[in-house]
Amino acid sequence: MSAKTRVNLARRSFLKAGVGAGAGLTLGVILPPLAAAQDAAPGLPGSGALVAGRFEPNAFVTIAPDNTVTVISKHLEMGQGVYTGLATLVAEELDADWDQVAVSAAPADASRYNNLFWGPMQGTGGSTAIANSFMQMREAGAAARQMLIAAAAERWSVAAGEITVESGVVRHASSGRSASFGELAEAAARQPVPSAVTVKDPADFRLIGKRVPRKDGSGKIDGSAVFTQDVQLDGMLTSLVAHPPRFGARVNKVDSAAARAVPGVVAVHQIPSGVAVVARDFWSASRGRDALQIDWDESGAVTASSATLMASYRERAQSAGLVARSEGAVDTALEKAANRLDASYEFPYLAHAAMEPMNCVIRLDEQGCEVWNGEQLHTGDQMALAGFLGITPQQVRVNTLFAGGSFGRRANPQSDYLLEAAAIAKAGGGKAPVKLVWTREDDMRAGWFRPMYFHSLRAGLDAQGRPVAWRHRIVGQSIGAGTAFESAMVRDGVDSTSVEGASNLPYAIPNVSVELHTTEVGVPVQWWRAVGSTHTAFAVECFIDELAHAAGRDPVEYRLELLGEHPRHSAVLQLAADRAGWGKPLAEGKARGVALHESFNTRVAQVAELSRMPNGGFQIDRVVIAVDCGIAINPDVIRAQMEGGMGYGLSATLESEITIENGAVVEGNFDGYRVLRIGQMPKVEVHIVKSAEPPTGVGEPATPVIAPAVANALFALDGKRARRLPLGVNS
Amino acid sequence: MIGFEINGSAIELDVDPDMPLLWAIRDAAGLTGTKYGCGAALCGACTVHVDGRAVRSCLLPVSSVAGKSVTTIEGVSGGTAAAVKQAWLELEVVQCGYCQSGQIMSAVELLERNPSPDDAQIDSAMRGNICRCATYARIRDAIRLASRSLSGRSEA
Ligand code: FES
Ligand code: FES
């Protein structure tokens, strides 16, 4: 990365087209931004056209005569800071002034706004937003800059090479002329779109790596930021749905007379997912729903309960599963080992419980359908809605709003709540826009949980305590099976998201076997912040700690010795250990624990420091986090994601648990499904590894590391190994 | 008709007297800064001030605020509110932002009652406000920062 990177856009577009060839080489589907710009409809960002004096050099940037630079975000802002990150990339290459930059959400459009890591699909997840956009956004900014320079050169009759751009001002030093972006916008729009651009040498970065204010900060402290819950349209009605009490149950008969009699209730519809009450406002809909008399047909309902399921999972783990990774001869090595260790770990179902319960607004009209949603799977939902309504995807116009958290939930592979809203709007004859609102209980009980899992591990150590064999069996439901993602996620019966974090065990052990038993349970499951790592990191990092202890070794040194081929892992571990004062004596009643994990190509190490409480419980005093996520675009956003991601994982470490009983969810609100509160939040320190590698995601990787760090600290405190999550309250 | 004051203006709402204040504010008065998170006084997203005290509006019947003064995130003002918002921005507290109206309303009330809370007092006053993005460490720091700026002390 020492020299400026010259990017040949035509060549890149060819390469990108090649990637999508399996899906049909339709240029409209996989065109890169600059070429796509020529293709887009006039008036849309990226049309390359001049709309009311605005300069729209490509699908990601518009510059208005009032000097506003608008960065169009193809990704959902759900708290992870992506608006700020994408704007930083564009502003950096454009040499814009940070204050002149605004961000707006892109429409759903796979041809211009696809996630470059996902082929022809637009969506936000897997901590890919910044990683897949890194060059795309920089190129977009650089192209716009080049066109502004060309316009200035033409206007001033000077050579383009003599023109400089700094903080939103285009300048020709020797003639003393200068112009704002806004003044040049119209002329720039008439310049040819460059076929190649030059992006900056990292040594010249002014914004990347610096702290800049978040773009979504002020609207979120004065009540003006608009979430889906806040959308108000003329004539809009609000709908609540009575869902079946058990998974798999259906409506047999409904008596809706009392519900219809509630003032404000407009209609009651039976829909595939239950019974919808449509009313003038939330309160009327809620009272109407309470008044419904529903006779449920539970003949096909799920009968499973968490406790019996776990017992059956434990049983399954006795036998070999499908192979996710196999090296050497594990059974022989285990037999010959000087010392053998066994451990098992249990993980409950988990709800995402985003602060904003699921909701969306749908309006059916002559053109098709318009949606307002914290949209995370833009074109997946667009296609699902089109299929359901019998229209084309282009007829589904998606307005993406801020999401009040998601943690994966809003990227539902079955478009569950969107199709529910569409069913209600359709049942009402499409006359009024409908806002579907889920209550907290609806959100918690409708499912789409992080699956329940059982892990069984066995390791063999040689006489020196070095691990020579490692067998890891995982039992649980597949997230990908039966979804549009199955072909990408499931290979030879192994769902990669069930084993990720285990199958890529970084420790050098000559004989390794990672096996999977996939179970089928009628409880809907889905990715939950950090997906497979939410359980695999715990199993691997608790067990390696146990091995270190059995070998009589320091847990950090033991890991480091086994990480020879993974210098970036070693470096984050070392950094966290150093900053936490690892090895330094602690006061009586205090202890430290460590864990290290890579997810989404980002390495995170955490050291948790605990104190025993007088009541016998424990308190987490401090967590030191080290992260290697490549080039740090926005260090403060990275810190925030490390703090918050760790805190999100801490809820599941300490208290959160969804219990299934006879096919029904026991917990309904934050009294039963307990989550982290302020008094439980430790002090957090975040240290970012300096790196010139391409950036990797930060939204998820902090989440899975805290549970093993805390469990290992608990062992250091009281000598007991945790075998299940959650651990139980700490104070 | 239920009459009360909202953000300094008189308002009369023709709604079911049992309607929770939250929905009267959001659906009838059209102020959407106050959020729904649980409907059961468990999360604090719906926190507003009634006659200066922080309350959860999701369970409180609108009839119970007749004749009273309600302040929401859109209207909260004064030196304490300004200091809190400034601290929130300076420390970049927000992530998804959905809980933050409630957090700020709770923090403003805390500092109005107790301009120099210690950590235990902060934790206890803010206990009812869940943040699923877990911005808690920054919330604590921002309350301390606002407290310092209110008392004119320089940043420690
Ligand atoms: S919505 Fe009122 S406390 Fe949660
Ligand atoms: S900022 Fe997202 S819930 Fe608090």
Side-chain angles (χ1 to χ4, degrees):
Chain A
M1 281 251 185
S2 54
K4 291 191 182 217
T5 314
R6 178 89 178 160
V7 188
N8 186 319
L9 296 165
R11 183 168 156 73
R12 284 173 63 83
S13 69
F14 174 74
L15 289 174
K16 276 172 205 148
V19 171
L25 192 78
T26 316
L27 283 177
V29 174
I30 40 176
L31 269 176
L34 297 179
Q38 321 295 327
D39 211 44
L44 286 174
S47 61
L50 187 66
V51 182
R54 271 184 309 169
F55 168 39
E56 300 181 342
N58 52 59
F60 300 101
V61 192
T62 71
I63 299 174
D66 74 358
N67 210 25
T68 308
V69 173
T70 303
V71 173
I72 291 103
S73 172
K74 64 179 185 175
H75 289 294
L76 170 66
E77 176 58 72
M78 47 188 148
Q80 81 280 40
V82 73
Y83 276 16
T84 306
L86 297 179
T88 302
L89 297 173
V90 172
E92 177 68 69
E93 296 293 342
L94 185 55
D95 280 314
D97 185 82
W98 185 244
D99 290 339
Q100 79 185 121
V101 178
V103 183
S104 73
D109 182 348
S111 70
R112 289 176 296 156
Y113 298 118
N114 62 315
N115 185 321
L116 299 181
F117 291 174
W118 292 2
M121 178 180 267
Q122 184 185 356
T124 307
S127 296
T128 58
I130 290 297
N132 94 92
S133 304
F134 182 56
M135 287 309 293
Q136 186 177 42
M137 288 295 131
R138 291 176 64 197
E139 287 164 20
R145 181 182 187 276
Q146 201 165 314
M147 291 166 80
L148 287 165
I149 289 175
E154 195 174 280
R155 177 173 297 176
W156 301 331
S157 306
V158 300
E162 294 169 10
I163 291 175
T164 57
V165 187
E166 208 188 317
S167 295
V169 180
V170 183
R171 196 170 264 120
H172 184 249
S174 54
S175 66
R177 274 175 290 204
S178 70
S180 71
F181 288 0
E183 286 162 354
L184 290 168
E186 199 170 338
R190 283 190 256 280
Q191 298 299 321
V193 176
S195 58
V197 293
T198 304
V199 295
K200 283 185 184 174
D201 182 315
D204 299 329
F205 287 160
R206 295 173 315 112
L207 293 170
I208 291 176
K210 306 281 166 8
R211 181 170 170 169
V212 293
R214 276 183 81 113
K215 284 295 172 196
D216 56 348
S218 54
K220 289 178 175 178
I221 61 159
D222 64 9
S224 64
V226 179
F227 298 84
T228 305
Q229 190 81 28
D230 307 330
V231 171
Q232 292 168 314
L233 302 175
D234 279 351
M236 186 184 77
L237 299 171
T238 298
S239 183
L240 268 67
V241 175
H243 294 121
R246 293 166 65 198
F247 293 113
R250 308 205 160 277
V251 177
N252 187 26
K253 264 205 329 271
V254 196
D255 177 354
S256 61
R260 286 174 205 272
V262 169
V265 170
V266 174
V268 175
H269 305 296
Q270 195 174 324
I271 55 169
S273 58
V275 181
V277 176
V278 183
R280 279 203 306 264
D281 53 47
F282 175 91
W283 181 240
S284 314
S286 163
R287 294 195 48 210
R289 184 172 73 165
D290 289 346
L292 285 172
Q293 304 280 332
I294 307 174
D295 177 36
W296 298 99
D297 169 7
E298 301 187 20
S299 57
V302 171
T303 56
S305 296
S306 291
T308 48
L309 265 183
M310 193 59 89
S312 71
Y313 284 16
R314 212 173 285 133
E315 193 62 35
R316 286 283 292 274
Q318 300 290 321
S319 58
L322 292 177
V323 176
R325 171 171 168 185
S326 174
E327 277 148 32
V330 167
D331 290 341
T332 327
L334 280 171
E335 245 165 65
K336 285 200 244 151
N339 186 10
R340 267 190 303 277
L341 280 90
D342 282 286
S344 65
Y345 303 96
E346 299 180 4
F347 305 88
Y349 287 108
L350 291 173
H352 302 75
M355 207 67 232
E356 179 184 21
M358 295 305 103
N359 49 24
C360 69
V361 178
I362 287 198
R363 179 169 67 197
L364 304 180
D365 53 30
E366 314 75 52
Q367 291 102 56
C369 149
E370 188 161 7
V371 182
W372 289 259
N373 182 31
E375 184 58 69
Q376 195 177 350
L377 212 53
H378 305 68
T379 53
D381 287 337
Q382 188 183 41
M383 265 152 56
L385 285 167
F388 177 78
L389 295 167
I391 56 180
T392 66
Q394 292 72 31
Q395 287 175 285
V396 179
R397 283 127 41 227
V398 178
N399 302 283
T400 299
L401 303 160
F402 288 129
S406 167
F407 315 115
R409 181 62 181 86
R410 285 186 180 270
N412 184 277
Q414 312 284 5
S415 306
D416 68 324
Y417 66 90
L418 286 144
L419 292 182
E420 181 168 89
I424 299 165
K426 201 170 155 185
K431 287 194 278 289
V434 173
K435 180 194 282 183
L436 169 68
V437 177
W438 279 13
T439 62
R440 174 59 57 194
E441 288 81 3
D442 296 327
D443 191 83
M444 205 160 272
R445 294 197 165 128
W448 307 100
F449 304 122
R450 194 289 302 273
M452 193 169 108
Y453 287 100
F454 180 82
H455 288 232
S456 150
L457 286 99
R458 173 168 290 181
L461 306 183
D462 67 14
Q464 286 73 47
R466 284 184 301 247
V468 288
W470 173 281
R471 194 188 73 193
H472 189 164
R473 286 187 183 147
I474 300 171
V475 185
Q477 283 168 264
S478 161
I479 293 167
T483 73
F485 300 88
E486 180 163 354
S487 60
M489 283 166 58
V490 184
R491 291 271 149 78
D492 300 327
V494 176
D495 184 330
S496 58
T497 66
S498 300
V499 297
E500 63 186 3
S503 55
N504 54 343
L505 178 78
Y507 302 114
I509 302 174
N511 302 284
V512 175
S513 171
V514 179
E515 303 163 21
L516 175 68
H517 289 280
T518 297
T519 59
E520 274 176 42
V521 185
V523 175
V525 295
Q526 196 183 328
W527 29 68
W528 186 100
R529 196 175 192 172
V531 201
S533 293
T534 61
H535 49 104
T536 57
F538 188 76
V540 168
E541 285 301 298
C542 288
F543 199 49
I544 198 81
D545 213 77
E546 204 161 335
L547 266 48
H549 186 76
R553 300 292 312 280
D554 175 83
V556 170
E557 281 176 19
Y558 193 74
R559 284 175 173 84
L560 286 173
E561 275 176 25
L562 298 170
L563 285 169
E565 285 166 32
H566 297 280
R568 293 178 75 182
H569 285 68
S570 301
V572 278
L573 178 58
Q574 194 69 66
L575 181 60
D578 290 349
R579 297 305 170 104
W582 186 264
K584 296 219 176 83
L586 280 167
E588 174 68 22
K590 288 185 185 292
R592 294 187 192 97
V594 67
L596 162 72
H597 191 74
E598 174 192 354
S599 55
F600 311 99
N601 301 314
T602 293
R603 288 100 179 142
V604 175
Q606 296 179 9
V607 175
E609 207 174 289
L610 313 189
S611 296
R612 199 189 309 283
M613 302 295 284
N615 65 5
F618 64 93
Q619 173 183 296
I620 308 169
D621 300 322
R622 182 166 86 122
V623 175
V624 176
I625 306 178
V627 55
D628 177 356
C629 55
I631 295 172
I633 312 290
N634 298 108
D636 192 58
V637 172
I638 294 168
R639 273 192 286 276
Q641 284 311 295
M642 291 297 114
E643 296 161 11
M646 184 279 292
Y648 190 78
L650 209 41
S651 285
T653 304
L654 299 173
E655 296 186 88
S656 305
E657 174 167 20
I658 286 287
T659 317
I660 307 291
E661 247 175 63
N662 195 27
V665 178
V666 174
E667 295 78 10
N669 210 317
F670 291 120
D671 46 354
Y673 190 76
R674 299 173 62 86
V675 299
L676 193 77
R677 290 181 184 266
I678 192 166
Q680 298 165 300
M681 184 76 177
K683 293 193 171 61
V684 197
E685 273 171 45
V686 179
H687 303 282
I688 304 171
V689 172
K690 262 204 158 340
S691 172
E693 297 292 327
T696 53
V698 293
E700 297 170 270
T703 298
V705 194
I706 187 63
V710 169
N712 292 336
L714 259 183
F715 170 77
L717 199 61
D718 65 12
K720 283 210 267 307
R721 286 288 176 190
R723 296 294 181 216
R724 76 179 299 275
L725 288 179
L727 300 171
V729 276
N730 59 329
S731 52
Chain B
M1 282 293 200
I2 295 152
F4 55 101
E5 202 177 86
I6 190 155
N7 297 333
S9 311
I11 190 171
E12 294 250 310
L13 296 179
D14 182 13
V15 294
D16 176 356
D18 290 339
M19 178 186 278
L21 175 62
L22 169 66
W23 298 107
I25 292 170
R26 289 183 56 87
D27 286 353
L31 294 173
T32 57
T34 307
K35 302 301 189 211
Y36 166 80
C38 72
L42 293 166
C43 79
C46 64
T47 307
V48 298
H49 296 172
V50 175
D51 289 343
R53 297 305 305 248
V55 300
R56 313 293 181 224
S57 63
C58 63
L59 285 183
L60 193 70
V62 61
S63 56
S64 70
V65 302
K68 298 191 174 169
S69 164
V70 175
T71 306
T72 70
I73 187 71
E74 290 92 342
V76 69
S77 58
T80 308
V84 166
K85 289 184 176 186
Q86 182 53 37
W88 244 248
L89 282 181
E90 220 165 295
L91 300 186
E92 297 279 23
V93 172
V94 310
Q95 290 189 24
C96 85
Y98 195 80
C99 74
Q100 298 294 347
S101 301
Q103 304 282 4
I104 287 169
M105 296 307 282
S106 291
V108 169
E109 195 236 17
L110 163 65
L111 290 173
E112 273 170 0
R113 267 190 296 118
N114 175 3
S116 312
D118 62 23
D119 281 4
Q121 288 166 329
I122 292 175
D123 285 357
S124 123
M126 302 301 291
R127 201 191 137 67
N129 289 84
I130 291 174
C131 175
R132 286 295 282 151
C133 300
T135 61
Y136 299 124
R138 292 185 188 216
I139 288 173
R140 234 166 10 209
D141 289 347
I143 291 174
R144 286 195 211 105
L145 175 60
S147 164
R148 282 198 303 271
S149 76
L150 282 168
S151 64
R153 276 178 287 149
S154 63
E155 219 174 298

